[in-house]
Amino acid sequence: MATIKQNEHKILGIAGILTFLLLWELVYQLALIRPIFTSAPSRIITAAQWLFANGLWYDIWISTLEFTLGFGSAMLVGVVGGMVLGWNRRLGAIFEPFINLFNATPRIALLPLLILWLGIGLLSKVAVVFLGALFPILVNTISGLRTLDPSLVYCARAFGANPRQILLTIGLPSAVPFILAGMRLGVGRGLVSVVVAELVAANAGVGYMMHIAGSTFQTDKVFVGLFLIAGTGYTLTAILSTFERHFERWRPQKY
Amino acid sequence: MSSLNAQALSVQYQQQRLQKHILALDTINFAVQSNLFVAIIGPSGCGKSTLLNVIAGLVPPTSGQITINQRVITGPGRDRAMVFQTAALMPWRTVIENAAYGLELQGIARADAQQQAKHYLDLTGLNGFEHSYPHELSGGMQQRVNLARALAISPNILLLDEPLSALDALTRESMQLELQRIWLQSRPTAILVTHDISEAIFLADEVWVMTPRPGQIRARFSIQLPRPRLISHKRQAYFVNLQEEIWQMLGIN
Ligand SMILES: Nc1ncnc2c1ncn2[C@@H]1O[C@H](COP(=O)(O)OP(=O)(O)OP(=O)(O)O)[C@@H](O)[C@H]1O
Ligand SMILES: [Mg+2]
């Protein structure tokens, strides 16, 4: 009984999704909708089976590579750069206008330029993911380092901490929640970037597959891509939430 | 061990937002020999925390100077430890990690630092709470972690800014006994700020009474009670008379 109660939230959520899929299948079986526009769960499964047997793995691999390379370098540059700019107020002041300007521009608007410079292959996608994910991480890391508890810094100095030790023992731990929130935003932006870039101009990837399928009215395949992307976004966010819980375990529980 | 001298020490704060100068300490002179326990009493805002911060090397004097063993203080140092008025614990560190912080900053390996810190957590009555987070402790317990963190680095000079003010009367008296016992073991030069006159007399060799801001030392009382002192000493005529005298000096009566 207790476990049912604890998992009530999850069970209701899953039941909701299952009901939706069943209804969808039902209206399709009763021929109430036209599958060429709306597809149906059974057709999507068939299409997925066919796609996985015919090169979908390669598209997934390409998209994963683009996302991982772009997001990984955004993490590295965002956290390290954010620490430098958040800690050194002069450098921060110099770079602030650039960052704000960039942050205010939708990075997708840079896509035509990136394709011009880097071609329609892997590199332009990595670049657009990088730019999409970088700014939330960078901006959050900077503000994390600028909102330190002054009494803690005071205490560290009283115990003889040098600036490097203050950064590592107070700056970094204080910034972790900010960095994780930035990463969560970054994951979303990165996924949007990779899909849109592949839809616009590419020669491989899940978005590319969807683009081809869509322009030839293969709706079932478009839905396969859609579910793949949704599943990826959901999984990545769930992983990050686990990280957040791990790093936030010291916080008082909310009641 | 360390002697402490102040020569014509003044501290002025600039409050930039209000374009105001505040003279917190006004040409203070004192000499504290090694291993002495001094307690400072004075009205709120008279500059007691400021004085401790100057000794800690966190606030530079506006004029004059303080020396430790004839050497002028220019910044914080490992010979000094401060128990802060607010606990100032890192919320993401457990109790033992907080208590070991000072040692960790000195480059002592984590395991050794925590073992040493554990000893002082036991002394301050926090046995069993090593792995709790600060928010899981009462205010008084947090204050004891703050105390253990300072004691753990075995300082030559121990600066205590109202360390027991968050405790209830009973716990407070038992902590006074603990503090005396710990102090007798290593006998650092100690400067204690407190608002509790009986606590000042009980713990200190000398009690200083400060004037309202700008802070000056109005009077010094030498406490002639043998150690270890007992709580029952607080009821002796000598103790009670001294308490009365200090009340008068504070101008509250
Ligand atoms: N950082 C600061 N900037 C400006 N003014 C300050 C600062 N710190 C303290 N002051 C001022 O200096 C005076 C002395 O402050 P201090 O904290 O030393 O008082 P205190 O004797 O410790 O008081 P309390 O008993 O309330 O803790 C106060 O009037 C306060 O307004
Ligand atoms: Mg104070």
Side-chain angles (χ1 to χ4, degrees):
Chain A
M1 272 315 279
T3 50
I4 290 181
K5 198 140 202 157
Q6 276 164 11
N7 293 320
E8 186 184 325
H9 203 74
K10 263 186 208 158
I11 292 171
L12 284 177
I14 293 170
I17 290 179
L18 286 180
T19 315
F20 171 74
L21 290 176
L22 271 175
L23 281 176
W24 189 2
E25 186 64 31
L26 196 69
V27 290
Y28 164 68
Q29 297 289 351
L30 296 173
L32 293 174
I33 53 171
R34 294 177 60 189
I36 189 146
F37 292 128
T38 50
S39 189
S42 59
R43 296 176 60 115
I44 296 169
I45 291 170
T46 317
Q49 281 167 342
W50 186 86
L51 277 171
F52 276 111
N54 291 278
L56 184 59
W57 285 118
Y58 178 70
D59 287 319
I60 292 177
W61 160 245
I62 292 296
S63 296
T64 307
L65 198 63
E66 291 164 350
F67 180 82
T68 312
L69 289 177
F71 189 77
S73 41
M75 272 274 306
L76 200 73
V77 176
V79 172
V80 174
M83 282 176 68
V84 172
L85 298 184
W87 203 242
N88 188 321
R89 290 191 180 259
R90 283 223 177 86
L91 278 180
I94 293 173
F95 280 90
E96 203 147 357
F98 289 99
I99 294 171
N100 289 339
L101 204 64
F102 247 106
N103 207 14
T105 320
R107 261 76 62 193
I108 286 294
L110 292 171
L111 195 56
L113 273 181
L114 292 173
I115 290 172
L116 205 64
W117 292 335
L118 301 169
I120 62 164
L122 189 79
L123 270 185
S124 59
K125 312 300 176 298
V126 172
V128 80
V129 173
F130 172 77
L131 288 177
L134 174 66
F135 290 93
I137 299 174
L138 185 67
V139 168
N140 268 32
T141 309
I142 292 174
S143 44
L145 280 175
R146 287 195 181 160
T147 48
L148 304 184
D149 180 348
S151 69
L152 292 183
V153 177
Y154 218 64
C155 161
R157 282 179 53 215
F159 280 96
N162 58 37
R164 189 185 62 86
Q165 286 175 317
I166 294 178
L167 177 63
L168 290 179
T169 60
I170 297 176
L172 199 55
S174 313
V176 163
F178 288 79
I179 296 174
L180 285 170
M183 279 173 66
R184 212 142 46 128
L185 277 174
V187 161
R189 302 262 177 93
L191 273 181
V192 169
S193 304
V194 81
V195 174
V196 172
E198 286 177 353
L199 286 172
V200 170
N203 44 29
V206 175
Y208 173 71
M209 180 279 282
M210 289 167 74
H211 174 65
I212 300 290
S215 49
T216 52
F217 293 97
Q218 305 185 64
T219 316
D220 307 335
K221 289 188 186 172
V222 177
F223 271 102
V224 173
L226 199 61
F227 280 118
L228 267 178
I229 293 161
T232 309
Y234 183 84
T235 311
L236 287 178
T237 312
I239 292 174
L240 275 179
S241 298
T242 313
F243 267 114
E244 282 188 88
R245 270 200 300 281
H246 174 76
F247 281 109
E248 305 277 274
R249 63 190 184 284
W250 54 268
R251 270 192 210 282
Q253 303 286 312
K254 293 185 190 78
Y255 293 103
Chain B
M1 286 287 121
S2 300
S3 64
L4 206 55
N5 284 275
Q7 288 113 30
L9 173 76
S10 297
V11 173
Q12 193 175 47
Y13 289 108
Q14 329 270 9
Q15 290 194 339
Q16 274 171 359
R17 192 172 52 81
L18 302 174
Q19 305 234 316
K20 215 165 61 163
H21 302 291
I22 289 177
L23 190 60
L25 296 174
D26 186 10
T27 47
I28 286 186
N29 295 288
F30 60 74
V32 178
Q33 79 234 37
S34 285
N35 311 334
L36 203 71
F37 198 127
V38 173
I40 302 177
I41 276 199
S44 178
C46 74
K48 304 178 296 295
S49 296
T50 303
L51 179 59
L52 290 194
N53 283 333
V54 177
I55 300 172
L58 292 169
V59 169
T62 312
S63 65
Q65 61 184 30
I66 296 195
T67 57
I68 296 174
N69 297 333
Q70 280 80 54
R71 292 181 52 188
V72 178
I73 294 175
T74 53
R78 291 175 183 178
D79 55 337
R80 284 155 279 161
M82 170 92 105
V83 180
F84 290 88
Q85 190 166 358
T86 55
L89 301 176
M90 289 176 227
W92 56 83
R93 282 181 177 235
T94 59
V95 164
I96 193 152
E97 288 166 348
N98 265 295
Y101 184 60
L103 294 165
E104 209 182 295
L105 288 177
Q106 301 185 358
I108 293 169
R110 215 182 157 72
D112 294 340
Q114 294 199 0
Q115 202 181 343
Q116 254 167 282
K118 169 93 177 74
H119 173 69
Y120 289 94
L121 287 177
D122 291 348
L123 280 182
T124 49
L126 285 168
N127 197 343
F129 289 92
E130 292 85 353
H131 302 291
S132 303
Y133 286 104
H135 76 86
E136 295 165 325
L137 306 183
S138 70
M141 291 161 87
Q142 293 179 13
Q143 204 52 13
R144 282 185 262 164
V145 181
N146 184 8
L147 180 62
R149 174 175 61 190
L151 294 171
I153 67 170
S154 314
N156 290 339
I157 297 180
L158 181 60
L159 305 168
L160 304 136
D161 199 351
E162 303 186 31
L164 308 184
S165 59
L167 304 176
D168 66 276
L170 268 179
T171 320
R172 190 168 181 146
E173 289 207 324
S174 74
M175 282 301 292
Q176 288 168 2
L177 282 168
E178 283 306 323
L179 200 55
Q180 170 179 248
R181 199 167 55 73
I182 296 165
W183 179 76
L184 283 173
Q185 281 174 10
S186 51
R187 279 190 169 259
T189 308
I191 314 278
L192 166 77
V193 168
T194 176
H195 284 291
D196 181 336
I197 299 176
S198 80
E199 178 173 293
I201 302 172
F202 180 78
L203 284 168
D205 300 309
E206 261 183 35
V207 176
W208 300 352
V209 177
M210 286 181 73
T211 62
R213 186 168 57 81
Q216 286 180 318
I217 300 171
R218 173 181 282 180
R220 294 161 218 243
F221 296 86
S222 171
I223 314 298
Q224 308 293 338
L225 282 171
R227 291 184 192 271
R229 297 171 185 168
L230 306 172
I231 293 296
S232 59
H233 288 160
K234 290 191 179 183
R235 289 188 293 275
Q236 290 181 355
Y238 174 79
F239 199 103
V240 176
N241 291 338
L242 208 52
Q243 213 168 332
E244 186 59 29
E245 241 181 288
I246 295 174
W247 269 111
Q248 305 239 336
M249 190 53 72
L250 276 164
I252 300 166
N253 237 353

